[in-house]
């Protein structure tokens, strides 16, 4: 049965599908001069897209450290897996859904959440927690308020319906994202370390099964769309955006976990980008086998679908599974119990080829390895951007005057990047399933208990956080990327967890521009250096390129997701320890970012330097992103993280909050706002500029609070770890007061400043 009315396959069609002229010639050589069929050229266009093949990034990704004593599965599978001890492991990954979310924000963001959830539970893990990292343009840019609202609604819709707590994330705003917003989704799940499932199609004669939802026409060309710049008419690409159904995915999750408890599965793969194409080719490629699929057996939800559409559809909530012989009826029975489709669509062969049949006729006959593993790999030209010298050397404005501190602070508290993201994250359920220890807004990282299959507490907790300051990466692509690694690890350390693994989502511009390729290479090298210094590997990740509109690229934004472990989160603090014996209020071995009680001492761990480059304050003063990227001292960062974790473990440190956007004053006030109290800050300027002291964004600093009887122990702890320490104030009262070198600079009601911080983003979005 032939397929009627298919386009004529030629070079022009190949170019329209995203292939280059050179790639078209490679296609012809692989097929020994035969012109590919229409579904075949569609497969080449998807598999060799930037989104699926990583053809511009692979040579640089090899620089990332991916091994370590805890790593059970590194990059190359649906998600990375890290050992957390006692037979338990966590699987996690971060993915981008940038282009779809710009075109259709609700469904684009929702299906981003759905896709990353499937990546994790395909490994055999029950999803435990979600994160999201969002980058938006200026709120007065065209469509931007609609995009923010739509993305937040899409994320909350999918995650809430699935019953997976959203533990945190971050959102920042800059004009560079006006034409390309970033929506990066992260999921972490828990599994037994001996029950890891992988995407292998092995065992000649074994049956290949399609399970989950039916296939429709949504998402066709999605991978190709994500591998091209935006320009005029981009909104017309809505049909390439997938449509998700979280209620179906919940059923699929439970069905898969039920099957994983058996020994019926050889391999399983999510149908993500490029759908049936990528899942089938990748599974066979990993196993070194071939596949035969009967495409007319694929469950369809629309009439008249063609092999091209079936192979390239990115309809959601679908998996490809290879079952052990004789267990196909068992798999079908479980899927039908959950109300889902399950059907045998083919078998594993020893041919090394993909054979696609359509009502008995061969419409696809392709070699698997060249498409999956031997896709074009480009060493693209690289050139240091010409803008760097000018922006790094831009002169600093005059120092802040004393009478300018209060109005400047109020403006910064209202700035979208610094203001509370409460309006966004309150749409997410952060406590569903009742395992959450710290959710967004209560700590520098989310923290959640790990329970076994029967719901019994294992005593362990995992912390999750994602970070990246794109302005730092714009000013210095190498050190800006390193900053992202360090800040993510610093944040999980601030809740008491030891960083044990990272995932990345590398968001960059058009790789065909030498300046963008240089920044990407430098970003990978910066990530490498920070990972090696902190001894934390990258175990999974994603690359999103072509984040350009009308030739304008986003700032380099290498998002980093960190996972940390607390081995015995509920264990009582050892009050017999010398450092802890005199302390009051010793509790569990974690802490949040908010002050805990009045009259506690406020301390700054780490050193403030005269650094304003890339700061929110400097953008407010000059209207531009300029200056030198703040210095990053990796050896000091490692000691700082060790010290804060030890202080928390001893019950000594009662709150911890790292200084990031907005600097020292903003960090201290955020800790006060979270506690609903005031504080009195008494700072020493020394040789620093006043604005550097208050609003500079030097790295390697954490604001902590300590009970009065623990201050000396904190000094001893920091001296042992060679960490700079200064007492900067006291908690309590209803007012915020700030003095520098004894001179008063600020005296305001804490509730007034807290209100600005809490409501400014919501007011701006709803105005």
């Amino acid at each position: 049965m032939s397929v009627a009315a298919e386009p004529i396959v030629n070079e022009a069609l190949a170019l329209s599908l995203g292939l280059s002229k050179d790639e078209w010639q490679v296609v012809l050589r692989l097929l020994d001069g035969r012109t590919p069929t229409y579904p075949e050229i569609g497969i080449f266009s998807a598999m060799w897209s930037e989104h699926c093949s990583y053809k511009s990034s692979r040579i640089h990704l090899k620089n990332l450290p991916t091994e370590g004593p805890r790593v059970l599965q590194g990059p190359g599978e649906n998600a990375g897996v890290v050992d957390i001890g006692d037979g338990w492991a966590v699987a996690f990954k971060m993915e981008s859904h940038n282009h779809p979310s710009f075109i259709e924000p609700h469904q684009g963001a929702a299906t981003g959440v759905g896709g990353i959830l499937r990546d994790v539970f395909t490994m055999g893990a029950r999803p435990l927690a979600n994160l999201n990292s969002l980058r938006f343009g200026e709120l007065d840019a065209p469509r931007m308020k609609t995009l923010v609202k739509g993305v937040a609604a899409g994320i909350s819709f999918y995650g809430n319906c699935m019953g997976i707590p959203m533990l945190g994330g971050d959102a920042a705003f800059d004009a560079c994202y006006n034409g390309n917003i970033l929506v990066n989704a992260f999921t972490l799940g828990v599994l037994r370390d001996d029950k890891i499932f992988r995407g292998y199609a092995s065992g000649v004669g074994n049956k290949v099964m399609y399970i989950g939802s039916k296939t429709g026409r949504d998402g066709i060309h999605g991978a190709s769309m994500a591998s091209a710049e935006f320009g005029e008419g981009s909104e017309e690409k809505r049909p390439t955006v997938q449509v998700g159904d979280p209620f179906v995915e919940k059923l699929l999750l439970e069905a898969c976990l039920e099957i994983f408890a058996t020994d019926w599965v050889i391999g399983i793969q999510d149908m993500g980008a490029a759908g049936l194409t990528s899942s089938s080719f990748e599974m066979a490629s990993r196993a070194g086998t071939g596949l035969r699929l009967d495409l007319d057996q694929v469950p369809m939800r629309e009439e008249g679908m063609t092999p091209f559409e079936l192979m390239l559809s990115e309809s959601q909530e679908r998996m490809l599974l290879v079952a052990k012989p004789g267990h196909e009826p068992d798999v079908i029975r479980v899927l039908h119990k959950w109300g889902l489709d399950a059907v045998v669509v083919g078998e594993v062969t020893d041919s090394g080829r993909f054979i696609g049949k359509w009502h008995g006729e061969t419409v696809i006959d392709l070699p698997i390895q060249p498409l999956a593993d031997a896709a074009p790999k480009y060493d693209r030209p690289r050139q240091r951007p010409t803008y760097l010298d000018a922006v790094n050397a831009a002169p600093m404005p005059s120092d802040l005057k004393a009478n300018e501190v209060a109005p400047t602070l109020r403006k910064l508290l209202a700035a979208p990047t610094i203001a509370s993201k409460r309006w966004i994250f309150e749409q997410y359920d952060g406590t569903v399933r009742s395992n959450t220890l710290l959710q967004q807004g209560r700590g520098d990282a989310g923290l959640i208990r790990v329970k076994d299959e029967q719901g019994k507490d294992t005593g362990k907790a995992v912390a999750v956080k994602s970070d990246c300051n794109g302005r730092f990466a714009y000013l210095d692509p190498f050190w800006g990327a390193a900053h992202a690694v360090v800040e993510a690890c610093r944040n999980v350390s601030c809740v008491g967890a030891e960083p044990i693994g990272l995932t990345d989502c590398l968001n960059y511009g058009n790789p065909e521009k030498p300046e963008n390729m240089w920044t990407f290479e430098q970003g990978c090298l910066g990530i490498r250096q920070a990972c090696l210094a902190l001894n934390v590997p990258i175990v999974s990740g994603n690359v999103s390129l072509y984040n350009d509109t009308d030739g304008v690229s986003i700032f380099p934004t290498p998002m980093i997701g960190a996972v940390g472990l607390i081995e015995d989160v509920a264990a009582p603090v050892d009050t017999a320890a010398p450092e802890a014996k005199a302390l009051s209020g010793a509790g569990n071995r974690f802490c949040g970012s908010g002050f805990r009680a009045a009259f506690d001492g406020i301390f700054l761990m780490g050193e403030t330097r005269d650094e304003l480059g890339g700061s929110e304050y400097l953008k407010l003063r000059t209207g531009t992103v300029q200056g030198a990227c703040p210095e990053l001292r990796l050896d000091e960062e490692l000691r700082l993280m060790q010290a804060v974790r030890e202080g928390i473990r001893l019950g000594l440190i009662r709150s911890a909050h790292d200084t990031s956007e907005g600097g020292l004053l903003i960090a201290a006030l955020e800790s006060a706002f979270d506690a609903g109290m005031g504080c009195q800050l008494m700072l020493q300027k020394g040789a620093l500029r006043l604005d550097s002291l208050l609003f500079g964004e030097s790295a390697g600093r954490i604001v902590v609070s300590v009970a009065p009887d623990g201050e000396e122990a904190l000094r001893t702890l920091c001296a042992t770890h060679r960490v700079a320490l200064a007492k900067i104030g006291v908690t309590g009262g209803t007012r915020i007061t700030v003095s520098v070198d004894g001179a008063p600079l600020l005296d305001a009601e804490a509730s007034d400043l807290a209100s600005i911080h809490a409501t400014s983003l919501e007011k701006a979005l709803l105005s």
Side-chain angles (χ1 to χ4, degrees), residues 81 93 229 246 334 412 421 508 538 600 632 672 680 707 752 756:
V81 183
K93 189 180 182 184
E229 287 192 14
V334 171
L412 285 173
K421 310 307 181 296
Y508 286 78
I538 299 280
D600 281 357
L632 192 59
Q680 296 75 55
D752 290 344
I756 296 171

Side-chain angles (χ1 to χ4, degrees), residues 508-583:
Y508 286 78
N510 185 340
E512 297 166 45
K513 300 176 182 177
E515 293 85 357
N516 286 339
M517 234 23 258
W518 187 87
T519 63
F520 183 85
E521 178 185 43
Q522 291 296 303
C524 290
L525 294 173
I527 291 170
R528 171 184 174 82
Q529 184 150 330
C531 287
L532 292 175
L534 302 182
N535 195 29
V536 188
I538 299 280
V539 301
S540 60
N542 170 245
V543 176
S544 173
L545 303 179
Y546 290 97
N547 289 291
D548 297 64
T549 294
D550 295 328
V552 179
S553 302
I554 63 165
F555 287 167
T557 312
M559 207 74 70
I560 300 293
V563 173
L565 173 66
I566 301 178
E567 297 261 15
D568 51 355
V569 69
V573 171
D574 180 9
T575 54
E579 300 90 339
K581 64 182 180 182
L583 304 185

Side-chain angles (χ1 to χ4, degrees), residues 282-411:
E282 289 173 6
M283 289 182 76
S285 174
R286 292 186 189 115
T289 58
L291 285 182
R292 191 210 78 244
L293 293 189
D294 298 313
L295 298 176
D296 49 281
Q297 296 302 305
V298 172
M300 306 172 214
R301 69 167 183 258
E302 300 184 45
E303 293 184 1
M305 293 194 71
T306 66
F308 180 95
E309 293 169 330
L310 292 169
M311 289 300 297
L312 295 180
S313 169
E314 294 183 12
S315 293
Q316 298 290 283
E317 298 91 37
R318 305 177 301 155
M319 303 280 194
L320 204 63
L321 180 150
V322 176
K324 288 186 177 179
H327 288 294
E328 299 87 358
D330 297 320
V331 173
I332 292 171
R333 174 178 49 79
V334 171
L335 268 294
H336 284 182
K337 184 187 80 172
W338 289 96
L340 299 169
D341 283 289
V343 62
V344 173
V345 294
E347 68 178 15
V348 179
T349 71
D350 60 1
S351 69
R353 301 184 72 83
F354 180 95
I355 305 298
K357 298 280 189 177
W358 181 248
H359 297 283
E361 179 182 341
T362 298
V363 293
I364 303 168
D365 184 354
L366 295 174
I368 286 174
Q369 292 299 133
L371 276 111
D373 292 341
K377 183 166 63 176
Y378 296 129
D379 186 359
R380 295 193 184 276
R382 298 180 290 284
Q383 178 181 320
R384 185 177 184 272
T386 56
Y387 75 80
L388 281 173
D389 290 336
V391 297
N392 290 162
M396 291 294 104
S398 59
D399 196 1
L400 199 64
K401 295 181 175 61
N403 63 357
E404 296 174 318
V405 169
T408 299
L409 172 64
R410 291 173 181 272
K411 290 177 182 177

